[in-house]
Structure formats: C-alpha cells, structure tokens
Amino acid sequence: MKRVCGLDVHKDNAFVCILGENGEEIEFKTGVLTVELDSFRDRLVELGVGEVAMESTAVYWMPIWRILESDFKLYLVNPLSIKQLPGRKSDVKDAEWIATCLQKGLIRGSFVPPLAVQQLRQYNRRLFDLNKQAVYVQNKMDAALQRCNIRISNYVSNVDTKGYREVVELLSEGTTDPELLTGKIHRRTINKHGRDTIKAALTGVVTDVDSDLLRQYREELDLLRRHKQECLSKMREMCEELYPEELKRIEEIPGISAQSATQIIAEIGADMKMFLTARTLVAWAGLKPRNDGSNGKIKSRRITHGNKYLRKLLIECAWAASRTKDCFFSSFSYRMVTVRKKGRLKVQVAIARKLLVVIWNLLAKGVQYSDRLAQADDTKDESSDTPQG
C-alpha cells in the first residue's frame, strides 16, 4: 500500500503525518538530532513510505533532506503554493495538509540542486556575506578617519584604492606626517585637486586610540579579503574539475568574467533538466516582467521575486556586457537607451535576462556562444507584445 509523509519542520523538532491510500493516518513528533533522524528514517522505511514532502523552512529542512534523500522521493515545497486551509491552525494540521496535498498530487517540488552545486552555493553565499562585511568595515574605517579630521576620502575615487589603504596603514603604525602621507596618494589625484589640498586633507589629530582602531579595521579587512580569495579558489577548483566545458562556454559570453562564471554555475548548476525552457529559468531567477493587467490596462511590469543572488550577479554582468565593444549587448544597450530613450536601469535588467537566456541555451544545447544566439532572442522579444525589463 502506498504511503506518503508530510513534515512540518521546526528548529528543534518536526511534526509528521503519514497517510495511506485507505485513509489510514499516523501522526507523531520527531526530534531533529542526527540520531533521532536516523531512527525516523528507519521508521518511515518500515511503514512503507515512498514519498516525503516538507516546507522550505529557513535552513532547518537541509539536514533532514540530506538524511532522507537516499531512501525516499523528496519534495521541497514553497509554503505559498500550499497555503493552509482556513480554520484552526496547528503544527499537526500543517503536516497533515502537506501530506494530503502530496497524496492528491497537488505538490510541485522546488529546485534542489545536486550536492556539488549545493557546496558551490555555500561558498558563493559566503562571498556575498564577505563583501557586505567588507563594505561595513570600510565605512567604519572612514568614519574613524573623519573623526581624526583626515578627509582624504573626499578626494579619492573610493575607499578601496591602493593609496587610501597605504595611508591607513601608516596612520595605524603611528605615522602622522602629512608630507609622508601625501606621497602615498596617486599622482593623478594630486594633480587633479592640488598638492596643498591633499596635504591639508591628510593633516589631522590622530591619537594612539585612533591608531589602534585603524589597525584593527585594517586587519579585519585583510582577513575578509583572504577568506574571499579562499572561497574563490575553492569554487574555481571544483568547477574546473566537475564542469570544465560548461565553465568555458559561459566565460565566452561578453561581460561574464571567470569569477562570475563560477558563481553562475554555483546558483543554477550545469544540468538544465529542471528548467525545461529558458523562460522557466528566467522566471526562477526573478528577471521576468510580471503580467499585472486588468481591463486592457497594464498596472505593473516590475520583475518578479526570485533568486536574488543570481539576479544581482547577472545585472552586474549586464553592466559589463553593455560596455564591451563590438558585441550584441553593447549595441542593444545603445539602441534602447540612446535611440529609443529607455531608462538605463531597465535596459540593464533586460540585458541580464538576455544573458540568462543565452546561458540556458549554452548549457541545455551544448553550443558555443555567438552573437547570433543573442540576436535570435532579441528578434523573438521584438515580435512579442511583452515589454522587457
């Protein structure tokens, strides 16, 4: 007799409901420690359970998935797609409703990548966290310099330049001579603003406490940069070992660097079987314009929610692609922005969508990149009534 199982997962426990074809119902609660999950798996095997569904609750579903995936067909469900029926709500009722939806065939599983891609994702998500932390530390460092009346950030292009870092290093070591500090600033900056102005910007009141704090910020930034480089190296090694051909194909696309190619594979993998069409992948990434209209009037064409990490990465690549000479994406950007007077930001979203369509074609069909591939998608867009971006 076929049995299905629904799980309502929490941090400390999971509520279980097992349903049989004859209406039989078994409900209980299990712990989430590894020993408890091993016993839970054995019990499901004894009861003849074939399919298990669970909601994607934060990261709490991941260890359960890892232990159960070898013995059962698993479904990871978006909570929005199986909203609880109105009435009295409880954790047991949630598990029962998930099991009922699974038994009736109403559940469509979310994309869960293979183990290698999951590991790449861990590195990639760590990269985003490291970049965010680095920006925070840089802002704190600049605030510490402003407190000392060191105003050099008003004149350099950004606070991550070589000259700025060398100035911070000297200040953290106790060197406050404006003449020595000015010597670390790039000559182009000095010529632009004047040597006296730069020297005055580097004249301040720096105490021992300020030097200590600057040293700590500098060491923290060095640690973040080292961790970032380690993550990038590990990702590159894994991609070159597991997906060498796919990596090479993606790197051929204008605007996509070697680092971006590894990050793209980390988010979508190299097997496009889960994404039957390019449109499916675009919608999953959140780059598809929403279809919000009524009575012949368009209310909104904003893009939908999706994988924010992939979307941010592709938009950064879109900016690079729009600045690459003699390629389709730069000519498309010029035509949209200059000739048709479209908003530049919306055009970048449209280019990001086109990049993802090209990536799907390269991975799904095993072809090499050419401008004609991107032009074919552009022709299809122009023949459609759906605005892009």
Side-chain angles (χ1 to χ4, degrees):
M1 181 177 62
K2 179 183 176 181
R3 287 193 173 99
V4 298
C5 175
L7 294 179
D8 186 40
V9 181
H10 298 271
K11 181 179 180 179
D12 300 322
N13 50 54
F15 290 85
V16 184
C17 180
I18 300 173
L19 296 180
E21 291 179 337
N22 60 353
E24 176 191 11
E25 185 175 314
I26 303 173
E27 295 178 345
F28 59 92
K29 184 172 73 172
T30 181
V32 293
L33 300 179
T34 303
V35 177
E36 295 171 321
L37 290 176
D38 285 337
S39 300
F40 170 60
R41 177 194 58 202
D42 296 338
R43 184 173 180 183
L44 292 183
V45 172
E46 292 175 359
L47 292 172
V49 173
E51 299 178 341
V52 180
M54 67 189 81
E55 290 183 346
S56 52
T57 310
V59 298
Y60 305 136
W61 64 272
M62 293 182 181
I64 300 177
W65 184 282
R66 291 182 180 181
I67 290 177
L68 298 183
E69 66 178 338
S70 60
D71 296 281
F72 307 98
K73 184 176 182 180
L74 301 182
Y75 296 88
L76 183 66
V77 187
N78 188 332
L80 293 176
S81 64
I82 54 168
K83 289 183 178 179
Q84 176 62 274
L85 291 177
R88 184 170 58 88
K89 184 183 183 303
S90 67
D91 296 325
V92 176
K93 287 289 185 181
D94 285 342
E96 181 182 343
W97 177 242
I98 295 172
T100 303
C101 291
L102 178 59
Q103 188 181 48
K104 303 297 183 182
L106 301 176
I107 280 180
R108 183 178 63 180
S110 300
F111 171 54
V112 179
L115 180 60
V117 179
Q118 291 184 36
Q119 293 172 344
L120 283 170
R121 273 191 183 183
Q122 287 181 267
Y123 282 126
N124 193 41
R125 305 293 168 83
R126 173 64 174 158
L127 282 177
F128 278 87
D129 291 339
L130 289 172
N131 289 331
K132 187 182 297 184
Q133 293 174 30
V135 171
Y136 175 77
V137 175
Q138 286 171 345
N139 290 337
K140 297 293 289 185
M141 178 188 294
D142 189 59
L145 289 178
Q146 296 285 344
R147 189 181 298 114
C148 302
N149 208 29
I150 303 293
R151 309 281 182 170
I152 189 59
S153 62
N154 297 351
Y155 303 99
V156 296
S157 56
N158 62 72
V159 296
D160 197 30
T161 59
K162 180 181 177 181
Y164 186 94
R165 293 199 301 266
E166 290 181 350
V167 166
V168 171
E169 183 176 358
L170 288 177
L171 290 172
S172 66
E173 294 171 353
T175 302
T176 58
D177 184 1
E179 195 66 40
L180 292 176
L181 298 177
T182 304
K184 298 299 182 180
I185 302 300
H186 198 281
R187 183 170 297 178
R188 187 184 299 112
T189 304
I190 295 177
N191 292 338
K192 180 179 180 181
H193 300 285
R195 189 175 187 86
D196 292 339
T197 301
I198 299 299
K199 185 176 179 180
L202 290 170
T203 303
V205 180
V206 184
T207 66
D208 292 339
V209 175
D210 295 319
S211 296
D212 285 339
L213 292 179
L214 289 172
R215 176 184 56 79
Q216 291 180 12
Y217 289 138
R218 183 169 58 85
E219 291 175 354
E220 190 173 352
L221 271 178
D222 291 340
L223 178 63
L224 293 173
R225 292 190 182 103
R226 189 173 77 249
H227 285 177
K228 179 180 177 179
Q229 190 57 46
E230 289 175 1
C231 289
L232 290 172
S233 299
K234 290 287 186 180
M235 291 175 66
R236 187 70 185 180
E237 290 175 8
M238 293 180 64
C239 286
E240 289 180 345
E241 179 183 353
L242 300 173
Y243 313 109
E245 293 298 325
E246 294 85 350
L247 185 66
K248 185 178 179 181
R249 290 194 187 102
I250 295 176
E251 288 178 359
E252 293 175 351
I253 304 174
I256 297 183
S257 63
Q259 176 181 332
S260 298
T262 58
Q263 290 183 275
I264 289 171
I265 291 180
E267 292 301 324
I268 66 176
D271 188 357
M272 294 292 102
K273 291 181 180 178
M274 280 296 295
F275 306 105
L276 299 180
T277 64
R279 179 173 294 183
T280 307
L281 178 58
V282 168
W284 179 80
L287 288 170
K288 180 180 179 181
R290 68 177 76 240
N291 185 18
D292 187 1
S294 177
N295 194 25
K297 295 181 180 179
I298 297 176
K299 294 183 177 181
S300 174
R301 280 291 185 262
R302 296 176 65 89
I303 57 176
T304 56
H305 296 289
N307 187 317
K308 61 181 181 180
Y309 301 98
L310 179 61
R311 185 169 62 249
K312 179 180 178 181
L313 176 62
L314 287 172
I315 290 179
E316 290 176 356
C317 293
W319 283 104
S322 66
R323 289 170 169 79
T324 303
K325 292 184 178 180
D326 302 324
C327 78
F328 163 77
F329 300 107
S330 58
S331 62
F332 174 83
S333 177
Y334 175 81
R335 187 170 74 251
M336 290 291 117
V337 175
T338 307
V339 179
R340 299 183 61 180
K341 307 299 182 182
K342 300 289 185 180
R344 186 174 293 275
L345 296 180
K346 289 186 177 181
V347 172
Q348 299 310 314
V349 175
I351 294 176
R353 192 201 69 81
K354 292 179 182 297
L355 285 172
L356 192 54
V357 171
V358 171
I359 291 170
W360 182 90
N361 280 279
L362 299 187
L363 297 180
K365 301 177 181 179
V367 297
Q368 300 295 325
Y369 172 77
S370 68
D371 268 0
R372 286 180 295 178
L373 187 63
Q375 289 169 3
D377 177 64
D378 185 46
T379 304
K380 188 185 302 182
D381 289 344
E382 290 181 350
S383 64
S384 172
D385 293 331
T386 303
Q388 299 303 318

